[in-house]
Amino acid sequence: LEALADIAKLHLDTMPAIRLAVTGSVGKTTTKEMMACTLSAAYNVQKSLGNRNNELGMPLTAFSVTKEHNAVIFEMGMRGLGQIAYLAQRVRPKIGVITNIGTSHIEILGSRENICRAKMELASYIQPDGVLIVNGDEPLLREACDKSPVAVKTFGIDTPCDYQAQDIEYLEN
């Protein structure tokens, strides 16, 4: 798997596509699909298929990227510390997104603080001129971003953020 991931990195390094990565306790697949739909209005987008977001799924997505793609979105899942780093150091995204910090895998990581640490591994591998976009309504992420090696932008509903959802209405179908 490590050799496959390293070869996938070499392949990505020959492709012109802007690389994006999305992780979080929940909402990764939905966020990736929304990003792909939005970006496809202006770019030829490739994305992780389904929720192929692990050590095998990342290389499979990487190998599907061609010179015709302008953007590629990688979904990144994890089961423990070091797994986001494993994926992100090979993808080296320009833009990273962390949807939230929940309790998925708390039985392995022991606390939400450790889950946040695991998700924040992404920040260390974002390209130097890139940006990390995080849920500003999550106090653990806001605090962790104070130590981010790259620029950070926040989104949210309840807390003042760079991108704020307002006047939200719930409509019945």
Side-chain angles (χ1 to χ4, degrees), residues 79-164:
R79 297 172 306 282
L81 289 169
Q83 294 178 336
I84 296 295
Y86 176 92
L87 300 171
Q89 69 183 337
R90 288 159 174 94
V91 169
R92 300 289 303 183
K94 183 163 183 92
I95 300 168
V97 177
I98 303 177
T99 62
N100 56 30
I101 303 299
T103 56
S104 301
H105 309 298
I106 202 161
E107 71 282 2
I108 296 168
L109 291 162
S111 68
R112 290 183 69 242
E113 289 78 10
N114 282 341
I115 293 168
C116 184
R117 273 187 42 226
K119 298 300 183 183
M120 282 298 295
E121 291 171 356
L122 177 60
S124 294
Y125 298 98
I126 292 175
Q127 297 172 24
D129 61 339
V131 65
L132 177 64
I133 303 169
V134 302
N135 183 339
D137 288 337
E138 172 52 64
L140 290 172
L141 280 173
R142 285 186 89 87
E143 183 179 326
C145 285
D146 289 341
K147 301 173 196 131
S148 174
V150 294
V152 175
K153 295 289 183 182
T154 57
F155 64 89
I157 298 171
D158 301 320
T159 307
C161 295
D162 296 304
Y163 304 99
Q164 188 83 32

Side-chain angles (χ1 to χ4, degrees), residues 33-90:
E33 293 297 330
M34 290 172 53
M35 290 167 59
C37 184
T38 302
L39 290 172
S40 67
Y43 297 97
N44 184 358
V45 178
Q46 183 57 296
K47 62 184 178 180
S48 300
L49 297 176
N51 64 347
R52 291 185 180 170
N53 60 18
N54 60 16
E55 305 89 344
L56 183 57
M58 182 279 296
L60 293 176
T61 299
F63 291 132
S64 70
V65 177
T66 68
K67 294 205 184 288
E68 286 74 40
H69 292 114
N70 308 100
V72 57
I73 306 167
F74 290 90
E75 180 178 331
M76 295 186 175
M78 64 96 197
R79 297 172 306 282
L81 289 169
Q83 294 178 336
I84 296 295
Y86 176 92
L87 300 171
Q89 69 183 337
R90 288 159 174 94

